[in-house]
């Protein structure tokens, strides 16, 4: 599988739907921004941008494993937050 790029914005977006991620597959990712914080929350409905969420600081790696519930990602940085993801099986 080729690596996938995604740009998080201030609007929470379901990254599973946006990138066509497969339920039950583990993905590795990295917040490749040098300044932006990424917020991640698993929830059936879109959270507000001020909802409690996991924080992924600039430059930090993370893993996702979709399980049929949307995984919402967003940032509070007006310039956005670039991400890169890949299937974790390669590592």
């Amino acid at each position: 599988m080729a690596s996938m790029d995604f740009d998080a914005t201030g609007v929470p977006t379901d990254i599973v739907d946006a990138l066509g991620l497969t339920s039950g597959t583990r993905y590795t990712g990295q917040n490749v921004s040098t300044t932006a914080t990424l917020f991640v929350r698993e929830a059936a409905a879109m959270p507000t941008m001020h909802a409690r969420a996991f924080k992924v600081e600039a430059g930090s790696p993370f893993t996702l494993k979709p399980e049929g519930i949307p995984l919402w990602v967003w940032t509070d940085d007006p310039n956005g937050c670039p991400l890169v993801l890949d299937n974790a099986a390669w590592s």
Side-chain angles (χ1 to χ4, degrees), residues 6-87:
F6 185 82
D7 292 315
T9 67
V11 177
T13 303
D14 177 9
I15 196 168
V16 176
D17 184 54
L19 292 180
L21 303 181
T22 303
S23 186
T25 300
R26 186 173 304 278
Y27 296 89
T28 186
Q30 184 175 10
N31 172 351
V32 295
S33 173
T34 58
T35 58
T37 299
L38 176 71
F39 298 95
V40 181
R41 183 176 178 110
E42 183 179 45
M46 183 176 81
T48 67
M49 72 176 294
H50 300 292
R52 292 182 188 185
F54 292 95
K55 290 174 59 173
V56 181
E57 299 295 343
S60 297
F62 60 92
T63 59
L64 299 174
K65 185 177 179 188
E67 295 290 351
I69 299 172
L71 290 167
W72 302 94
V73 297
W74 68 95
T75 184
D76 58 359
D77 191 315
N79 294 319
C81 182
L83 311 175
V84 64
L85 282 88
D86 205 339
N87 187 322

